[in-house]
């Protein structure tokens, strides 16, 4: 037998053994990991992940709706000293500050399509975290979660901040929050438009009125199901625009955010006095949609 044929047969056998090992590993991961089972079957169940920044963020993700609810804890803890929730997977990033870690994640989520090196950086960060025991995610769980993130945008995340005494009374006027992950109040059930309040925090006079007219026009054409309840000025100026949701109708709120070009995460809050489903706060960065 020629040396080239021997080398080819050895290579084929090695590849076959590698494929068999990978197949066996995939079966083992499927049988032993609840997270893998939920992600592969797209079950109407929830994955829980604690990101141990300071303060920590507890994430609930529903793969059937591709919506994630993030709850920021009120209490801060020492760097890398936070504890995960019971039965939740955990990941401790190298960046301990919660806001900085969240902004870095959003930037990577928005830019990985234009800079594939971000994917390699994420893999390296997982490897170092796994080596340093800063995560209990298995390679199979990390791979599936990473693939899931490629299908998401910042608007698929609903961020709930802890109550703060520094907020103004006017900014606190919001309605109770219902469970977010399962999208408990879809438009098909309520059969009504989203009730929206628009607040101008940009310093540009008349901007809230322009957006009100745009949304009412979109509703009249049947392109959006939205009802602008009122528009007013925000008590302070804001650099960035944001959307605050109070009803849990994340599918419809994401449609609204895309239509007006506010692509950040959806913030959630609660107050018994607000009579709208969603509040749009126009910052200095807001530009009217074409």
């Amino acid at each position: 037998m020629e040396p080239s044929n021997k080398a080819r047969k050895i290579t084929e056998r090695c590849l076959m053994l590698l494929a068999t090992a990978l197949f066996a590993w995939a079966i083992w991961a499927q049988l032993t990991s609840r997270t893998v089972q939920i992600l592969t079957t797209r079950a109407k169940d929830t994955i829980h992940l604690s990101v141990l920044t300071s303060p920590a963020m507890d994430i609930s993700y529903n793969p059937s709706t591709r919506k994630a609810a993030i709850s920021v804890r009120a209490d801060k803890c020492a760097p890398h000293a936070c504890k995960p929730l019971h039965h939740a997977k955990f990941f401790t990033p190298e960046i301990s500050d919660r806001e900085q870690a969240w902004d870095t994640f959003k930037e990577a989520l928005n830019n990985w399509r234009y800079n594939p090196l971000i994917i390699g950086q994420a893999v390296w960060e997982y490897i170092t975290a796994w080596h340093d025991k800063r995560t209990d995610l298995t390679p199979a769980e990390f791979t599936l979660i990473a693939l899931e993130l490629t299908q998401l945008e910042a608007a698929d995340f609903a961020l709930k901040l802890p109550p703060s005494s520094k907020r103004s009374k006017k900014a606190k006027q919001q309605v109770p929050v219902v469970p977010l992950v399962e999208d408990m109040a879809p438009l098909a059930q309520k059969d009504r438009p989203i009730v929206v309040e628009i607040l101008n925090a940009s310093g540009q006079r008349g901007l809230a009125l322009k957006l009100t007219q745009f949304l009412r026009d979109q509703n009249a054409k049947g392109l959006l199901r939205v009802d602008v309840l009122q528009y007013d000025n925000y008590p302070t100026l804001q650099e960035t625009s944001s959307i605050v949701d109070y009803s849990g109708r994340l599918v419809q709120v994401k449609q609204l955010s895309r239509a007006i070009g506010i692509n950040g995460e959806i913030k959630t809050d609660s107050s018994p006095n607000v009579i709208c489903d969603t509040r749009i706060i126009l910052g200095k960065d807001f530009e009217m949609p074409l």
Side-chain angles (χ1 to χ4, degrees), residues 89-102:
K89 293 287 183 175
F90 74 90
F91 182 84
T92 306
E94 292 183 345
I95 301 174
S96 60
D97 181 72
R98 200 278 307 174
E99 291 188 6
Q100 185 181 356
W102 175 241

Side-chain angles (χ1 to χ4, degrees), residues 167-235:
R167 298 180 187 177
S168 65
K169 293 182 179 179
K170 189 170 184 179
K172 272 190 170 182
Q173 295 177 352
Q174 297 162 349
V175 299
V177 173
V178 299
L180 296 170
V181 176
E182 300 195 14
D183 210 12
M184 296 297 292
L187 192 59
Q189 293 181 10
K190 294 258 183 176
D191 195 25
R192 65 170 177 81
I194 292 181
V195 179
V196 174
E197 180 184 31
I198 302 175
L199 298 178
N200 187 2
S202 68
Q204 300 181 42
R205 184 175 299 178
L207 187 60
L209 175 59
K210 290 180 182 179
L211 183 60
T212 297
Q213 294 171 339
F214 171 80
L215 291 178
R216 287 175 176 169
D217 183 56
Q218 294 291 298
N219 182 69
K221 293 178 180 178
L223 300 177
L224 281 175
R225 295 292 307 278
V226 57
D227 179 17
V228 181
L229 176 69
Q230 62 182 7
Y231 58 91
D232 201 350
N233 290 323
Y234 198 66

Side-chain angles (χ1 to χ4, degrees), residues 52-284:
L52 303 182
T53 52
S54 179
M57 297 182 288
D58 298 309
I59 304 175
S60 301
Y61 178 70
N62 189 327
S64 64
T65 60
R66 284 203 168 103
K67 300 299 174 187
I70 303 176
S71 178
V72 179
R73 299 183 192 176
D75 56 325
K76 291 188 177 182
C77 53
H80 308 316
C82 295
K83 301 297 182 183
L85 292 181
H86 188 54
H87 292 315
K89 293 287 183 175
F90 74 90
F91 182 84
T92 306
E94 292 183 345
I95 301 174
S96 60
D97 181 72
R98 200 278 307 174
E99 291 188 6
Q100 185 181 356
W102 175 241
D103 290 340
T104 301
F105 170 78
K106 287 191 297 180
E107 183 178 358
L109 190 67
N110 292 331
N111 296 332
W112 72 268
R113 296 172 180 84
Y114 315 105
N115 183 10
L117 293 177
I118 293 176
I119 299 175
Q121 182 180 357
V123 173
W124 175 251
E125 288 180 359
Y126 166 73
I127 293 173
T128 56
W130 182 79
H131 178 269
D132 297 338
K133 297 183 179 180
R134 290 186 285 109
T135 183
D136 62 348
L137 290 171
T138 66
E141 292 167 342
F142 168 78
T143 301
L144 289 175
I145 290 175
L147 290 174
E148 197 74 16
L149 287 173
T150 63
Q151 307 299 317
L152 302 182
E153 303 172 2
D156 291 309
F157 293 84
L159 182 66
K160 182 177 177 61
L161 297 173
S164 173
S165 59
K166 296 182 180 179
R167 298 180 187 177
S168 65
K169 293 182 179 179
K170 189 170 184 179
K172 272 190 170 182
Q173 295 177 352
Q174 297 162 349
V175 299
V177 173
V178 299
L180 296 170
V181 176
E182 300 195 14
D183 210 12
M184 296 297 292
L187 192 59
Q189 293 181 10
K190 294 258 183 176
D191 195 25
R192 65 170 177 81
I194 292 181
V195 179
V196 174
E197 180 184 31
I198 302 175
L199 298 178
N200 187 2
S202 68
Q204 300 181 42
R205 184 175 299 178
L207 187 60
L209 175 59
K210 290 180 182 179
L211 183 60
T212 297
Q213 294 171 339
F214 171 80
L215 291 178
R216 287 175 176 169
D217 183 56
Q218 294 291 298
N219 182 69
K221 293 178 180 178
L223 300 177
L224 281 175
R225 295 292 307 278
V226 57
D227 179 17
V228 181
L229 176 69
Q230 62 182 7
Y231 58 91
D232 201 350
N233 290 323
Y234 198 66
T236 60
L237 296 181
Q238 303 288 331
E239 293 293 331
T240 58
S241 305
S242 61
I243 292 182
V244 185
D245 178 66
Y246 317 122
S247 64
R249 302 171 68 173
L250 294 184
V251 173
Q252 289 74 32
V253 176
K254 182 179 178 181
Q255 293 172 349
L256 175 64
S257 68
R258 279 184 168 181
I260 63 178
I262 299 179
N263 299 316
E265 72 276 17
I266 299 169
K267 298 179 181 178
T268 67
D269 212 329
S270 60
S271 173
N273 300 321
V274 165
I275 55 176
C276 61
D277 294 319
T278 302
R279 176 174 288 163
I280 302 172
I281 301 174
L282 305 178
K284 295 180 181 179

